[in-house]
Amino acid sequence: MIGVDVNSLPYESKIKYPMIKYIRLCRNLTQEQFGTVCKIDQGVLAKLERGDLDLSIHYESKIIEGCRALNISDLELQSVKRLVELKEQRGIK
């Protein structure tokens, strides 16, 4: 957005980029299959999973919509978030 510091906006992200792969694997999907559900190109999804592309609000909303389509609950998302945070704390890749 022009002239707006995105970090100052009152928005809390539900998804961090390391979570994307685990969310996808919750339903045993390939990047291509998950990308189709989320309406994101497979190449873009791969970059998001690796952290090579910023997880903008735009992409996050598409992933959340995909999660809803796949019936991935908020509880599952919270579980994935905790898993990723634990791995980060322990330095596990």
Side-chain angles (χ1 to χ4, degrees):
M1 291 189 282
I2 299 172
V4 175
D5 179 13
V6 177
N7 296 322
S8 70
L9 296 175
Y11 176 77
E12 185 175 336
S13 178
K14 286 187 175 185
I15 297 174
K16 295 180 179 181
Y17 76 88
M19 293 173 59
I20 300 170
K21 180 177 181 179
Y22 294 102
I23 293 169
R24 174 174 63 81
L25 294 175
C26 281
R27 295 297 183 265
N28 196 29
L29 298 173
T30 65
Q31 286 179 340
E32 188 172 339
Q33 292 168 326
F34 189 57
T36 299
V37 172
C38 296
K39 298 178 180 131
I40 299 174
D41 182 70
Q42 182 272 328
V44 171
L45 187 60
K47 289 178 183 178
L48 289 169
E49 282 190 9
R50 290 191 308 265
D52 293 345
L53 183 65
D54 285 338
L55 183 57
S56 66
I57 294 171
H58 171 74
Y59 288 125
E60 182 179 7
S61 66
K62 286 181 169 279
I63 291 169
I64 290 171
E65 287 175 23
C67 290
R68 287 187 189 127
L70 293 168
N71 294 319
I72 296 175
S73 68
D74 286 340
L75 181 60
E76 284 179 284
L77 290 177
Q78 287 296 325
S79 297
V80 170
K81 188 173 188 175
R82 279 190 229 126
L83 174 71
V84 168
E85 288 171 351
L86 280 172
K87 287 182 74 172
E88 287 175 351
Q89 288 174 357
R90 295 181 181 171
I92 301 170
K93 290 190 176 190

